[in-house]
Amino acid sequence: AGMGCIACHATIDTKAHPGAGRKIDSARSFSLAQTSACKSCHEDKFKQYEGSIHASLLRDGNPTAPVCTDCHAPHAVKPKAARLALKEIPCQKCHGSIFDAYAGSVHGVSRSKSDKSTAPICSDCHRAHDVSAASTSDQAKNACQGCHASVLRSHQEWLPNADTHLQVISCPACHSPSAKRRVDLRLFDNVSQQRVREKEGVPRFEMRARSVDEKGQGLNALAVQSLLKQFNSDGNEGRTTLRGRLEVSDSAEIHQLAPKDKALSECTVCHSAGGNAFQSVTVSIVGPDGRPLRYDAQKDVLNTVLSVDSVRGFYAIGSTRIKMLDWLLLLTVLGGVAVPIGHQTLRWLFRRYANKMREEEAAGNAASGASNQATDRK
């Protein structure tokens, strides 16, 4: 926009430059101070940044947390930075392993072939300025469906209960076929309809989880129930529940998406005894900075009757490996069917008995009437 040097370097006297110079503590401190220049023109973006993970890290004293000039080269600022060539994307400076995984994915390969590719990059899923962990909301799912608008319809053609699957299974869980998976049991607030979030300076989650994990071997089914009771104390009964979600456990592998013909589509991968996807379990909430806080749980929390809350969102009779729950459900169904059948049977038997009694009474009355008439004639 035709901005000259002094638009950002307001302390410079162009007529006497370079002058005697001035002392600065470090290049980093100078970069931090210069963010005020960015804010003077881009206040809206700056506000978004202040709500990001990056800004949270900066406030916590992280010396490498990125600021404006770490992503936007200060003397070579480009418009529409989100459409940079793959090699120019700044995220790779800090997130090397994740970016390498992305570069080898179906999206990264598409971008490497053409700078005009519309395949998503980091900011499409994590946003550019208010950067957040995509796993703590529907942000990632919405990003996927934003490009793949027909995803529900295409899955319905072969996948039973496709809508439920898309709600409780993350896209990478199937589209990163070689990745390790886990079930994340998320504490969910039924009133706000959002995941439970840890308050700043009040580390309740880990403290409560450790208090019920007496042996330090991960939460068992009873411990998970105790943890829920703690979050539902003080008159909040039933407010906090669990919502299970199958997801990829490694942050790099999440980004290693394969072409759709390589995606998992066999039901037995999940719906079989001892399925690998159900061997790792965590319980989580959202941390103050927007990143998930997780605590390990034992895999048996998904296999006992006490796990009803844990698998509420994705329980399927005969397919979730909770045999006792399967039997209880069958008994409930049979009981539900038996009640109306039993009721109708009893009504039929009662009517039959009542009709028989009326017939006997009528026959008795007829016999009595005939006897009386005979007596009268005599």
Side-chain angles (χ1 to χ4, degrees):
M3 296 176 64
C5 302
I6 59 173
C8 297
H9 300 279
T11 59
I12 297 283
D13 182 356
T14 55
K15 295 180 180 180
H17 188 69
R22 62 191 180 95
K23 184 179 179 180
I24 59 172
D25 294 332
S26 66
R28 176 65 176 174
S29 64
F30 182 77
S31 295
L32 293 176
Q34 284 299 105
T35 58
S36 60
C38 304
K39 183 178 180 180
S40 64
C41 292
H42 305 284
E43 187 173 2
D44 57 335
K45 303 301 182 186
F46 201 85
K47 286 182 178 179
Q48 291 178 3
Y49 168 80
E50 288 184 320
S52 71
I53 289 177
H54 292 159
S56 178
L57 292 171
L58 186 65
R59 287 191 292 269
D60 289 341
N62 188 314
T64 61
V67 293
C68 311
T69 52
D70 291 301
C71 298
H72 301 279
H75 300 107
V77 179
K78 295 183 178 180
K80 298 182 179 179
R83 298 271 69 89
L84 290 172
L86 196 64
K87 63 181 180 181
E88 297 177 309
I89 296 173
C91 306
Q92 59 191 303
K93 291 189 291 185
C94 296
H95 306 284
S97 61
I98 291 176
F99 195 84
D100 288 343
Y102 162 80
S105 73
V106 64
H107 293 150
V109 170
S110 176
R111 289 297 295 245
S112 65
K113 289 180 178 178
S114 172
D115 293 344
K116 295 182 179 180
S117 169
T118 59
I121 59 172
C122 314
S123 57
D124 290 303
C125 296
H126 296 279
R127 297 193 291 260
H129 296 94
D130 51 336
V131 179
S132 65
S135 62
T136 57
S137 65
D138 288 334
Q139 185 176 321
K141 184 180 76 171
N142 294 338
C144 294
Q145 295 186 6
C147 292
H148 304 283
S150 62
V151 62
L152 178 58
R153 184 173 66 254
S154 62
H155 281 75
Q156 286 174 333
E157 294 175 358
W158 64 274
L159 181 65
N161 301 313
D163 187 46
T164 299
H165 278 89
L166 293 178
Q167 288 180 26
V168 301
I169 301 176
S170 70
C171 300
C174 294
H175 290 273
S176 296
S178 62
K180 295 179 181 178
R181 300 168 189 81
R182 67 170 166 231
V183 174
D184 187 35
L185 303 177
R186 303 171 168 189
L187 270 67
F188 188 81
D189 189 324
N190 284 323
V191 176
S192 65
Q193 288 296 297
Q194 294 181 349
R195 292 181 64 179
V196 174
R197 195 179 188 102
E198 189 87 286
K199 295 180 180 178
E200 188 77 41
V202 188
R204 297 183 305 166
F205 176 66
E206 185 172 358
M207 179 181 64
R208 289 177 172 179
R210 289 186 181 280
S211 71
V212 296
D213 183 16
E214 297 177 355
K215 296 182 179 180
Q217 297 177 347
L219 303 174
N220 58 28
L222 285 173
V224 170
Q225 293 297 315
S226 298
L227 182 64
L228 277 175
K229 287 181 180 179
Q230 290 190 46
F231 276 90
N232 281 313
S233 60
D234 302 325
N236 293 320
E237 187 66 31
R239 174 168 180 160
T240 302
T241 58
L242 290 171
R243 288 198 173 186
R245 184 170 175 81
L246 185 64
E247 60 185 24
V248 173
S249 56
D250 182 82
S251 56
E253 291 180 329
I254 290 173
H255 299 81
Q256 209 162 15
L257 300 175
K260 64 179 181 181
D261 61 334
K262 303 293 184 182
L264 297 176
S265 58
E266 292 292 331
C267 300
T268 54
V269 172
C270 294
H271 299 289
S272 63
N276 289 333
F278 291 81
Q279 301 307 302
S280 177
V281 184
T282 57
V283 179
S284 74
I285 65 171
V286 180
D289 62 358
R291 289 181 292 179
L293 297 176
R294 295 189 175 90
Y295 197 93
D296 288 338
Q298 299 176 20
K299 63 181 180 180
D300 291 343
V301 301
L302 302 176
N303 299 317
T304 69
V305 177
L306 295 175
S307 305
V308 175
D309 284 330
S310 305
V311 298
R312 184 188 302 274
F314 54 91
Y315 173 75
I317 185 169
S319 300
T320 322
R321 299 161 306 285
I322 308 179
K323 299 300 181 184
M324 183 62 72
L325 198 57
D326 290 343
W327 282 112
L328 288 174
L329 182 59
L330 281 172
L331 289 173
T332 302
V333 172
L334 290 174
V337 173
V339 168
I341 292 177
H343 179 67
Q344 292 298 326
T345 301
L346 288 173
R347 287 186 63 185
W348 178 78
L349 290 172
F350 179 78
R351 286 176 180 173
R352 183 177 179 183
Y353 175 76
N355 289 335
K356 183 178 180 180
M357 293 297 294
R358 282 195 291 269
E359 289 174 358
E360 290 178 353
E361 184 179 358
N365 291 336
S368 177
S371 176
N372 291 334
Q373 290 179 2
T375 302
D376 291 342
R377 282 197 294 274
K378 291 179 180 182

